Amino acid sequence: MTRLEIARNRLDLYIAAEQAILAGAQSYQIGNRNLTRANLAEITKMIEILQDEVETLEGKPKGYTRRVVMMDY
C-alpha cells in the first residue's frame, strides 16, 4: 500500500467519523455512565491535515504559485 493510498484511506475514515459525530454518535450513555467517542474539533483539524497530505502526494499545488526568473550575467 502506498503512502497516497494510506492517506486517502485515513481521510475517508476521518470523514466517516465526522459524519457519525454530526449525526449524533459523539457521545452516548450506558446506565449512569456517559461516554464520548471523539472530539469534533480534533477530527476536523485532522481532515484538513490529511487533505493537504493527499494533495501533496498527488502533486497538486498548495494554493500558491512560485515564479522563477532566470538571469544571465
Side-chain angles (χ1 to χ4, degrees), residues 4-55:
L4 178 57
E5 291 169 334
I6 293 169
R8 283 183 180 153
N9 187 44
R10 289 185 68 207
L11 178 58
D12 290 342
L13 292 171
Y14 270 93
I15 290 172
E18 181 185 53
Q19 290 171 346
I21 289 170
L22 292 172
Q26 182 172 14
S27 62
Y28 57 97
Q29 184 175 352
I30 299 175
N32 61 352
R33 296 180 65 199
N34 289 320
L35 302 169
T36 301
R37 291 185 177 172
N39 182 310
L40 182 59
E42 290 176 11
I43 288 176
T44 302
K45 181 178 177 183
M46 194 62 182
I47 288 172
E48 292 173 5
I49 291 168
L50 288 168
Q51 286 172 333
D52 286 345
E53 183 178 351
V54 167
E55 288 177 3

Side-chain angles (χ1 to χ4, degrees), residues 49 67-68:
I49 291 168
R67 182 174 163 187
V68 177

